């Protein structure tokens, strides 16, 4: 067979496409195995998240010398504490080598032999003659074909998929230890006498109340910060409106006109004063809100008008004028001001409540009550 005919029978599509198709199918199986693991390990038969409970004891020392032995429990999602198989095929290498060796050696072999003898007389000389004839012919043919086919598949574990990692992060943010039980002991870990135990329980209750007020105060302060930020954003929007108006008015002026030059000077002078007032809102908003809240009687609603304490001005072509309700951001600023004043009063109320509760606690520790 000729060398070219040796390659004609090869199905190259199957040689190359077969392993690639098998790798694609394997990738699907691997993905399904990851999904099955998540379903079986991460969730129960009702579709609820499976968790593992961990318990531990938390020990803390109180101001009165007693100690708290708190039994804590934390529920951790199973998917967060077990490795998740995520094997993926990264690389498929297909190597095909074919070597054709063809050699031919012809050798014909025939063996022919014969002999002869005789005598001849040449006068007084007599000669004897003898001889033989032989022939050899051989024919040999040899050929060699070889092929190498190698498929190299590499797969690695890619760890937790990104989408699942984000879900686990959200779950982790909500995982917090819960108090199962708590006992009060003396400094040596022994039970307290009845009178001391009652006093320790009261102090414990006061500490819990203080902690609750502190949490509420922190939330109230965050709310106040948000309202002040809202007020600043509204003020910034009003500044942008004035900047556009100033730029538009300046572009209408004729630079070569003496009258327009005076107008431009007036525009710039008024703009400088107006913008300084609005810049003050950005830096002094919290202080002004506190002053407004202090001057608002308890139990009364804050005024819905933008306070004169901000000393705001409006920019007009005629000059700087008092800020009025016909401005574009007046309602937004007014609403943010009202919300901020309410939030400030709530912060002040909680600060006073916290101060009184801490005073009560210190008196209880000192034994004055």
């Amino acid at each position: 067979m000729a060398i070219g005919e040796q390659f004609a029978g090869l199905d190259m599509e199957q040689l190359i496409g077969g392993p690639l198709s098998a790798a694609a199918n394997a990738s699907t199986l691997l993905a399904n195995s990851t999904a099955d693991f998540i379903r079986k390990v991460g969730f129960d038969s009702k579709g609820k998240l499976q968790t593992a409970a961990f318990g531990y004891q938390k020990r803390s020392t109180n101001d009165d010398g007693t100690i708290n032995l708190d039994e804590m429990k934390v529920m951790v999602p199973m998917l967060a504490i077990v490795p998740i198989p995520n094997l993926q095929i990264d690389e498929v290498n297909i190597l095909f080598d074919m070597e054709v060796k063809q050699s031919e050696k012809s050798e014909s072999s025939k063996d022919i032999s014969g002999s002869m003898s005789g005598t001849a007389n040449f006068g007084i000389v007599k000669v004897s003659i003898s001889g033989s004839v032989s022939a050899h012919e051989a024919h040999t043919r040899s050929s060699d074909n070889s092929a190498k086919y190698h498929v190299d598949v590499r797969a690695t574990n890619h760890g937790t998929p990104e989408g699942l990692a984000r879900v686990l992060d959200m779950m982790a943010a909500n995982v917090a230890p819960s108090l199962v039980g708590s006992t009060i002991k003396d400094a040596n870990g022994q039970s307290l006498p009845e009178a001391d135990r009652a006093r320790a329980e009261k102090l414990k209750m006061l500490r819990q109340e203080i902690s609750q007020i502190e949490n509420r105060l922190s939330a109230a302060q965050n709310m106040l910060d948000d309202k002040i930020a809202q007020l600043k954003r509204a003020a910034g929007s009003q500044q942008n409106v004035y900047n556009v108006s100033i730029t538009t008015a300046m572009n209408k002026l004729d630079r070569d006109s003496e009258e327009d030059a005076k107008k431009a000077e007036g525009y710039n002078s008024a703009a400088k004063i107006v913008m300084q007032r609005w810049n003050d809102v950005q830096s002094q908003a919290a202080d002004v809100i506190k002053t407004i809240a202090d001057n608002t009687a308890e139990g009364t609603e804050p005024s819905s008008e933008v306070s004169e304490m901000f000393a705001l001005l409006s920019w007009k072509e005629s000059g700087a004028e008092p800020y009025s309700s016909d401005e574009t951001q007046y309602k937004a600023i007014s609403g943010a001001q009202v919300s901020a004043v309410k939030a400030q009063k709530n912060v002040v109320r909680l600060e006073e409540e916290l101060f009184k509760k801490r005073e009560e606690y210190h008196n209880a520790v000192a034994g004055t009550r």
Side-chain angles (χ1 to χ4, degrees):
M1 182 182 294
I3 294 178
E5 296 177 356
Q6 298 283 343
F7 293 92
L10 296 177
D11 188 350
M12 299 304 294
E13 180 178 352
Q14 182 62 29
L15 287 174
I16 298 175
L20 294 178
S21 178
N25 293 334
S27 296
T28 301
L29 293 175
L30 293 174
N32 287 333
S33 68
T34 301
D36 290 340
F37 179 88
I38 293 173
R39 282 193 293 267
K40 293 178 181 178
V41 176
F43 302 91
D44 59 20
S45 58
K46 297 181 179 179
K48 293 184 178 181
L49 187 69
Q50 291 198 105
T51 58
F54 295 89
Y56 63 96
Q57 191 176 75
K58 180 180 178 182
R59 181 188 180 102
S60 60
T61 303
N62 302 318
D63 297 337
D64 59 348
T66 61
I67 59 174
N68 285 334
L69 296 179
D70 297 334
E71 296 295 332
M72 309 297 294
K73 182 176 72 172
V74 60
M75 306 296 291
V76 182
M78 287 294 297
L79 292 176
I81 58 177
V82 296
I84 298 175
N86 185 22
L87 197 64
Q88 298 180 21
I89 295 177
D90 297 320
E91 186 177 350
V92 178
N93 295 319
I94 303 173
L95 303 176
F96 176 64
D97 295 326
M98 182 172 181
E99 183 178 8
V100 178
K101 294 181 180 179
Q102 185 169 352
S103 61
E104 184 172 339
K105 181 179 180 182
S106 297
E107 187 175 316
S108 297
S109 180
K110 289 184 180 180
D111 292 321
I112 303 173
S113 62
S115 61
M116 57 180 289
S117 63
T119 59
N121 293 317
F122 298 94
I124 61 174
V125 179
K126 184 179 181 180
V127 179
S128 297
I129 300 173
S130 64
S132 64
V133 178
S134 66
H136 176 78
E137 183 180 351
H139 176 77
T140 302
R141 181 177 181 180
S142 63
S143 63
D144 182 16
N145 297 324
S146 64
K148 297 178 181 179
Y149 186 56
H150 177 74
V151 179
D152 180 20
V153 180
R154 298 182 182 180
T156 58
N157 193 344
H158 286 235
T160 305
E162 183 178 354
L164 180 59
R166 293 186 179 182
V167 173
L168 293 177
D169 289 341
M170 289 186 288
M171 293 178 182
N174 295 316
V175 173
S178 58
L179 182 65
V180 178
S182 178
T183 57
I184 300 178
K185 304 289 185 179
D186 62 15
N188 298 320
Q190 304 298 319
S191 298
L192 294 169
E194 184 62 26
D196 292 340
R197 189 187 65 78
R199 177 175 175 272
E201 290 289 349
K202 179 181 179 181
L203 292 175
K204 179 180 177 180
M205 180 186 66
L206 290 174
R207 285 193 297 269
Q208 292 174 347
E209 292 176 353
I210 289 173
S211 178
Q212 292 172 359
I213 297 174
E214 289 174 340
N215 292 337
R216 288 158 52 200
L217 177 59
S218 177
Q221 185 62 56
N222 290 336
M223 177 66 71
L224 174 60
D225 293 341
D226 289 342
K227 297 304 180 183
I228 292 177
Q230 181 181 348
L231 174 62
K232 291 180 179 181
R233 288 194 296 270
S237 297
Q238 186 66 76
Q239 273 186 286
N240 292 336
V241 172
Y242 291 147
N243 283 327
V244 172
S245 298
I246 294 169
T247 301
T248 302
M250 295 290 286
N251 290 336
K252 292 180 180 178
L253 299 178
D254 184 357
R255 296 179 180 273
D256 297 329
S257 170
E258 182 176 349
E259 181 181 355
D260 283 356
K262 290 182 180 180
K263 286 184 179 181
E265 184 178 351
Y267 291 168
N268 286 327
S269 177
K272 184 180 295 184
I273 297 173
V274 171
M275 291 305 168
Q276 183 58 51
R277 297 292 178 87
W278 287 95
N279 288 336
D280 291 341
V281 174
Q282 302 295 329
S283 59
Q284 302 174 6
D287 294 334
V288 174
I289 290 296
K290 189 175 187 309
T291 303
I292 297 174
D294 292 341
N295 293 332
T296 302
E298 194 66 34
T300 62
E301 287 291 320
S303 174
S304 60
E305 296 182 358
V306 175
S307 175
E308 295 180 356
M309 293 183 185
F310 286 110
L312 296 176
L313 294 174
S314 302
W315 185 90
K316 306 292 184 183
E317 291 188 14
S318 57
E321 299 180 4
Y323 190 64
S324 59
S325 59
D326 60 349
E327 297 294 333
T328 56
Q329 296 297 317
Y330 187 92
K331 289 185 178 180
I333 294 173
S334 173
Q337 173 189 294
V338 171
S339 298
V341 170
K342 291 181 178 179
Q344 177 66 53
K345 292 183 74 65
N346 188 38
V347 167
V348 171
R349 180 181 60 79
L350 289 172
E351 288 176 341
E352 294 175 350
E353 184 179 350
L354 180 60
F355 176 80
K356 292 179 180 179
K357 189 60 65 175
R358 284 176 174 171
E359 184 179 28
E360 181 182 354
Y361 176 77
H362 291 314
N363 290 335
V365 171
T368 57
R369 289 189 181 180

